[in-house]
Amino acid sequence: MSETKKQPASTMPTISIPAHQLPVSHTPDVVVLGGGAAGIAAAIAAARNGVDTLLIEQRGYLGGMGTAALVPAFCPYTDGEKPVIRGIGLELLEKMKQAAGADFMSKYKDWLNWVPIDVETLKRVYDEEVLGSGANILFHTVADQVLLDGDRISGLVISNKSGRSVVQAKLYIDASGDADLAALSGVPFQSGGEQGELQPGTMCYVVTGADQARFEQFLEETGEHKQLVNTVTQAQQNGDLPEGRKRISGMAWITESIVGFNFGHIFGIDGTNAEDLSRAAIEGRKLIDTQIRFLRKYVPGFEHIRLVHSGDQVGIRETRRIEGDYTLVVEDFLAMRTFEDDIARNSYFIDIHLANADSTMTIKHLPKGESHGVPYRCMLPKGKSNLIVAGRAVSSDRPVQGSLRVMPNCFAMGQAAGVAASIANTGGGFREVPIAELQRKLVEQGAWLGEHPGQADEIQPVAAGAVTFEKEC
């Protein structure tokens, strides 16, 4: 097929559009842009704390990468010893288990790490919990312009089947994952690595017709790793799989015959570029077909599988990172620092996927039972007083973004943003929120901030030269 190249914005021809009046369609206290994990938790937290809240989502359902991209399982909620992600995030996980049926609940009742996602059940749970909190949802809607008044956002121009209109709120929560609202507002940001390289995308999918007992027998008889390291390598050597990572990133058994896959990479994808996302969708579906053929040929228990669902879009691991009042850096991660304004804890490992088929992955785990703090300041974008950012786009360096980006962490940051909005709603902006009050409310509402929330640990910073990572193909 022919490929249409998008011109750089600086060289595009321009056209002037006549000014026209837009109706004000919604006037909530708080608007949340983005219905992924961070946005869901933010909307629930704000509404439960008595704030009139509107959640805007571009699709017809909530869940972000967990539903739209079919990420097959929730990343760990624990540090290997105890849950560090609690509050709304843990509550939603348990709600999905219960709603998925007796068999699912029986199998995964005590799991807090790598719990498979029952996508259709999760969509319904999210609907019920967000609406049950008192928040309102506006689906099939995108924001395409921000109205500014000094350092404040005064309105958000939205587009949907009803036309274009303006949402005016006191406070704005950017939970888009890509810092869309922040970028539209002129907040400075960074993307990817030093050369602009970005982690690849993955087109996840769900198959049926598998035989879990036969697959586990194959693993036991051969000693093969559950990520099929040897099998994938053999298939690549035989030309039945493309080069790249020599293992399956994730395989989640929803039932004994239905399996979700996080498998392989699509390189050179910028999740903020429509042309890249379009190419990734096409390449992703072709790659799935190749992988299905591989599974049928090489993996006992998968001889008769059939594809039942591919992601509505390719899964995106990183795009923009805002410049905030504090930038969380790898030295903070390695030193397991605690900050006076902690609003969450993180124990997920640094997980930066290979930028191209010839490179390696970067992985770094914290010791079992350990975590680091996530300071409130890293969610506060420079230059804006009534905007807060929650989720993978918060202010961090690239290695830390490779750890913070997963859904459990996004739930925790989203809950903090929603509670902060409920406090800021009484007057002022997000920087005027009293940290002690925010931390007290978070703890009262189930969040975990460590044994001594608000107390900075006396930890010496780790020298940059001492940073070492595990490498894996």
Side-chain angles (χ1 to χ4, degrees):
M1 61 176 288
S2 61
E3 184 177 353
T4 301
K5 292 289 187 180
K6 181 180 178 181
Q7 293 177 280
S10 60
T11 64
M12 287 183 186
T14 62
I15 187 170
S16 297
I17 298 176
H20 56 284
Q21 299 292 314
L22 294 179
V24 177
S25 56
H26 301 81
T27 56
D29 293 324
V30 174
V31 62
V32 181
L33 182 67
I40 291 165
I44 291 174
R48 284 181 178 175
N49 282 276
V51 178
D52 181 12
T53 303
L54 175 65
L55 174 57
I56 297 175
E57 165 56 38
Q58 63 179 318
R59 298 181 177 85
Y61 52 86
L62 301 172
M65 293 294 99
T67 53
L70 296 183
V71 171
F74 284 105
C75 287
Y77 277 66
T78 80
D79 59 11
E81 294 181 351
K82 59 187 175 298
V84 297
I85 306 299
R86 305 182 192 181
I88 290 172
L90 187 55
E91 176 186 331
L92 291 169
L93 177 69
E94 296 301 330
K95 293 274 188 181
M96 185 200 72
K97 290 184 195 177
Q98 295 166 10
D103 289 345
F104 189 96
M105 185 63 176
S106 175
K107 187 172 184 178
Y108 298 111
K109 178 182 178 182
D110 297 324
W111 286 40
L112 293 179
N113 297 342
W114 307 113
V115 177
I117 293 176
D118 184 327
V119 172
E120 297 305 322
T121 296
L122 189 59
K123 289 178 183 177
R124 189 178 72 252
V125 167
Y126 285 157
D127 286 344
E128 293 170 353
E129 295 305 308
V130 171
L131 292 176
S133 73
N136 296 305
I137 301 173
L138 188 61
F139 284 135
H140 304 294
T141 300
V142 297
D144 59 27
Q145 187 177 353
V146 171
L147 307 178
L148 298 174
D149 181 9
D151 70 346
R152 297 181 64 83
I153 297 175
S154 60
L156 188 62
V157 179
I158 61 172
S159 299
N160 54 32
K161 284 290 187 179
S162 302
R164 298 184 79 208
S165 63
V166 175
V167 175
Q168 289 187 320
K170 298 177 185 176
L171 301 160
Y172 296 82
I173 299 175
D174 185 341
S176 64
D178 300 316
D180 287 337
L181 181 50
L184 285 170
S185 304
V187 173
F189 61 85
Q190 298 176 338
S191 295
E194 293 181 359
Q195 281 74 49
E197 70 275 16
L198 293 161
Q199 295 186 59
T202 296
M203 182 65 86
C204 299
Y205 57 95
V206 177
V207 302
T208 189
D211 184 336
Q212 185 175 12
R214 178 70 187 95
F215 173 68
E216 291 179 350
Q217 180 184 2
F218 161 69
L219 298 183
E220 183 176 352
E221 290 174 350
T222 63
E224 173 65 298
H225 191 277
K226 63 182 178 180
Q227 292 181 311
L228 301 180
V229 178
N230 296 328
T231 309
V232 169
T233 300
Q234 180 186 357
Q236 288 174 334
Q237 292 171 346
N238 294 341
D240 289 324
L241 281 177
E243 289 300 319
R245 193 183 188 199
K246 300 186 184 328
R247 64 180 62 206
I248 296 173
S249 295
M251 181 189 304
W253 291 85
I254 301 165
T255 71
E256 293 180 352
S257 62
I258 301 174
V259 192
F261 278 91
N262 175 352
F263 185 8
H265 294 117
I266 304 170
F267 300 103
I269 300 300
D270 181 349
T272 67
N273 181 287
E275 284 74 15
D276 282 1
L277 289 173
S278 300
R279 174 172 64 84
I282 295 167
E283 290 186 11
R285 286 187 283 269
K286 290 175 64 177
L287 182 57
I288 289 173
D289 183 64
T290 298
Q291 292 173 353
I292 294 290
R293 295 174 188 274
F294 152 75
L295 290 164
R296 288 172 178 161
K297 178 178 179 179
Y298 285 83
V299 186
F302 286 84
E303 296 90 344
H304 307 293
I305 59 171
R306 185 174 182 83
L307 177 67
V308 293
H309 195 181
S310 59
D312 289 359
Q313 76 152 74
V314 67
I316 297 297
R317 294 182 171 90
E318 70 171 330
T319 53
R320 303 182 184 106
R321 306 187 309 274
I322 65 161
E323 292 186 17
D325 289 1
Y326 183 82
T327 299
L328 199 60
V329 297
V330 68
E331 289 81 13
D332 297 326
F333 176 95
L334 294 171
M336 297 169 285
R337 287 196 63 193
T338 293
F339 300 88
E340 292 185 355
D341 59 336
D342 276 347
I343 46 79
R345 302 292 298 182
N346 169 45
S347 61
Y348 187 67
F349 57 94
I350 289 174
D351 177 20
I352 304 176
H353 287 235
L354 56 167
N356 56 65
D358 298 321
S359 60
T360 57
M361 287 186 62
T362 299
I363 296 174
K364 182 66 179 180
H365 292 264
L366 290 177
K368 185 177 180 180
E370 301 294 343
S371 62
H372 71 83
V374 180
Y376 179 66
R377 287 165 292 161
C378 72
M379 300 198 298
L380 301 179
K382 289 183 177 179
K384 295 294 171 284
S385 62
N386 65 338
L387 172 65
I388 192 169
V389 176
R392 70 173 185 233
V394 299
S395 183
S396 71
D397 65 8
R398 191 171 188 237
V400 172
Q401 192 275 344
S403 171
L404 281 181
R405 63 182 172 82
V406 297
M407 286 183 283
N409 288 332
C410 290
F411 282 130
M413 290 183 279
Q415 181 172 356
V419 173
S422 73
I423 300 170
N425 188 54
T426 59
F430 284 107
R431 286 179 178 80
E432 282 69 56
V433 171
I435 296 302
E437 181 181 358
L438 173 59
Q439 292 173 329
R440 175 180 58 78
K441 285 193 172 187
L442 284 170
V443 171
E444 289 175 352
Q445 295 170 30
W448 189 72
L449 305 183
E451 301 301 330
H452 304 287
Q455 300 299 311
D457 289 342
E458 293 298 327
I459 299 177
Q460 294 298 317
V462 177
V467 179
T468 57
F469 297 100
E470 305 163 39
K471 298 288 186 179
E472 148 185 341
C473 294

